[in-house]
Amino acid sequence: MPEMPEVESLRQFLTQRCVGHAIAQVDLAAISALKTYDPPFAALQGLVVDGVHRYGKFLALDCGGLWLVFHLARAGWLRWREELPTTPPRPGRGPLALRVTLDDRSGFELTEAGTQRKLAVHVVTDPQQVAHIATLGPDPLDDDFTPEVLGAILAKAGRAQLKGILRDQRLIAGIGNAYSDEILHTARLSPYQPANALAAEAVADLHATMRAELTEAIRRAEGLAAKDLKGEKKSGMKVHGRTGLPCPVCGDTVREVSFADSAMQYCPTCQTKGKPLADRRMSRLLK
C-alpha cells in the first residue's frame, strides 16, 4: 500500500507534470472506484490543473475549484504515460480504474491489482467533503505536530498498542503498516507497547524518529519516476518485509506476527528485549 512518503512523492511528480495543463479527457474503467456522482466526473474535462495536494494518503488535484481526489488503497498505483491511447478503455477489463488525459496527450492511469476493489475516486468541490479526509488526524510532518501533540494522542489512547495507533488515520495521518514497523524499530519500541506507558523522553524520541524516518523516505524518492517508487520503498526497509533476514542493526533474525489481512515485522533484540511476540493466528494454524 502506498503510504505518506510514496504519496508525497507522487504529489511532487504530478505537480511537475500536470499543473498548468488542461484535462482533455477522463475515462472511468472501473465503476466501483467512483464514490461520488455529483458533480459528474465528466465535469473535469476542459479544466486546468491549478495544484496537486496531499491529505494523508489521499491525492487531490485542484482543477479550478473542482477537485479530483483519489486513494490508491492497498493494491492501487499510479502509472504515468507520456502518450495515452485515444481509444477509451473498455470498462471492467484488467486492472485499469481511471485514465486522465491532459491537453498534450500525456497523463496518468490509476490501476488496482487483485480481486478486491478498494481504490477510491471522488469528484468534489472541497476535499473536506470526502469523509475520510474530514476525519484525518494531524500530518506528522506538519510544523504544528509537536512532541506535545503526539503525547496527547498517546495519552488519550490509553493502553492501545503503539502499532495500531501509528496506523490509525484518525489519530495520525499518512502512516501505514510498513512505516509503522520501521518507525518502531528505529525507536526501539515494541509494537505491543501500551501508548500511555511511554515516558515523556520516549514520546519525544518517538516523535523525532517518526519525522526522521518519513523525511528520509521522501528524500530517497525525490526525483524518481512514479514507476520506480515501489522499488525504492522496499529497498529502504530495515525490518518490514524482511522476515527471516538479519536485522541490519543487531544481526538478530527479523520476526513476523500475522493478522487476518496483514503482517508486521520486528526485531526481538532491538524492540522486545529478545522476547518473541505472540502470533496467535500462527499458533491457531499450527494447532
Side-chain angles (χ1 to χ4, degrees), residues 2 10 44 78 93 109 121 125 130 147 175 254 270 272:
L10 287 173
L44 292 164
L78 183 147
R93 299 293 296 271
E109 297 175 329
V121 177
T125 56
V130 179
I175 300 173
V254 174
C270 292
T272 60

Side-chain angles (χ1 to χ4, degrees), residues 20-40:
H21 286 279
I23 295 178
Q25 189 171 332
V26 184
D27 295 302
L28 183 67
I31 296 176
S32 61
L34 187 63
K35 306 303 179 185
T36 55
Y37 61 91
D38 186 23

Side-chain angles (χ1 to χ4, degrees), residues 230-246:
K230 286 184 180 180
E232 171 53 44
K233 176 181 180 179
K234 185 176 181 180
S235 69
M237 296 292 161
K238 298 183 291 293
V239 290
H240 184 78
R242 291 175 51 86
T243 303
L245 297 175

Side-chain angles (χ1 to χ4, degrees), residues 125-142:
T125 56
D126 184 342
Q128 295 299 319
Q129 293 171 343
V130 179
H132 289 298
I133 290 180
T135 59
L136 283 175
D139 191 294
L141 293 185
D142 282 352

Side-chain angles (χ1 to χ4, degrees), residues 3-70:
E3 299 179 33
M4 187 246 274
E6 293 78 51
V7 177
E8 174 61 23
S9 296
L10 287 173
R11 184 197 68 78
Q12 296 174 9
F13 181 89
L14 290 177
T15 297
Q16 295 173 358
R17 288 159 175 79
C18 295
V19 171
H21 286 279
I23 295 178
Q25 189 171 332
V26 184
D27 295 302
L28 183 67
I31 296 176
S32 61
L34 187 63
K35 306 303 179 185
T36 55
Y37 61 91
D38 186 23
F41 75 90
L44 292 164
Q45 294 181 186
L47 300 181
V48 174
V49 180
D50 294 328
V52 185
H53 303 261
R54 179 182 61 80
Y55 300 89
K57 301 178 191 176
F58 285 82
L59 278 171
L61 275 66
D62 178 5
C63 307
L66 196 62
W67 294 75
L68 172 63
V69 181
F70 55 90

Side-chain angles (χ1 to χ4, degrees), residues 89-138:
R90 296 178 62 182
R93 299 293 296 271
L96 182 62
L98 184 78
R99 176 185 292 162
V100 176
T101 306
L102 302 179
D103 50 14
D104 62 355
R105 298 307 305 173
S106 70
F108 62 89
E109 297 175 329
L110 303 184
T111 62
E112 187 171 22
T115 57
Q116 294 186 339
R117 291 292 176 259
K118 295 188 177 181
L119 186 147
V121 177
H122 310 256
V123 180
V124 292
T125 56
D126 184 342
Q128 295 299 319
Q129 293 171 343
V130 179
H132 289 298
I133 290 180
T135 59
L136 283 175

Side-chain angles (χ1 to χ4, degrees), residues 110-276:
L110 303 184
T111 62
E112 187 171 22
T115 57
Q116 294 186 339
R117 291 292 176 259
K118 295 188 177 181
L119 186 147
V121 177
H122 310 256
V123 180
V124 292
T125 56
D126 184 342
Q128 295 299 319
Q129 293 171 343
V130 179
H132 289 298
I133 290 180
T135 59
L136 283 175
D139 191 294
L141 293 185
D142 282 352
D143 291 340
D144 55 3
F145 185 78
T146 62
E148 290 73 25
V149 170
L150 176 59
I153 291 172
L154 298 179
K156 188 175 181 179
R159 294 193 59 78
Q161 297 172 350
L162 286 179
K163 172 74 175 179
I165 291 170
L166 294 186
R167 293 187 63 187
D168 191 334
Q169 301 303 295
R170 298 165 299 178
L171 300 178
I172 302 172
I175 300 173
N177 193 34
Y179 287 103
S180 59
D181 283 350
E182 296 298 299
I183 290 166
L184 291 171
H185 174 257
T186 301
R188 303 182 73 87
L189 290 170
S190 168
Y192 290 173
Q193 170 78 40
N196 62 1
L198 287 186
E201 183 177 348
V203 172
D205 182 60
L206 177 59
H207 175 270
T209 299
M210 187 183 306
R211 291 172 69 94
E213 287 286 322
L214 296 172
T215 299
E216 174 60 18
I218 292 172
R219 186 201 64 78
R220 290 196 308 267
E222 187 174 354
L224 292 180
K227 65 183 179 64
D228 298 323
L229 290 174
K230 286 184 180 180
E232 171 53 44
K233 176 181 180 179
K234 185 176 181 180
S235 69
M237 296 292 161
K238 298 183 291 293
V239 290
H240 184 78
R242 291 175 51 86
T243 303
L245 297 175
C247 167
V249 174
C250 71
D252 194 2
T253 301
V254 174
R255 292 178 178 258
E256 176 176 297
V257 175
S258 300
F259 302 99
D261 59 353
S262 65
M264 70 177 182
Q265 287 80 42
Y266 69 98
C267 170
T269 295
C270 292
Q271 296 176 255
T272 60
K273 299 179 180 179
K275 181 181 179 181

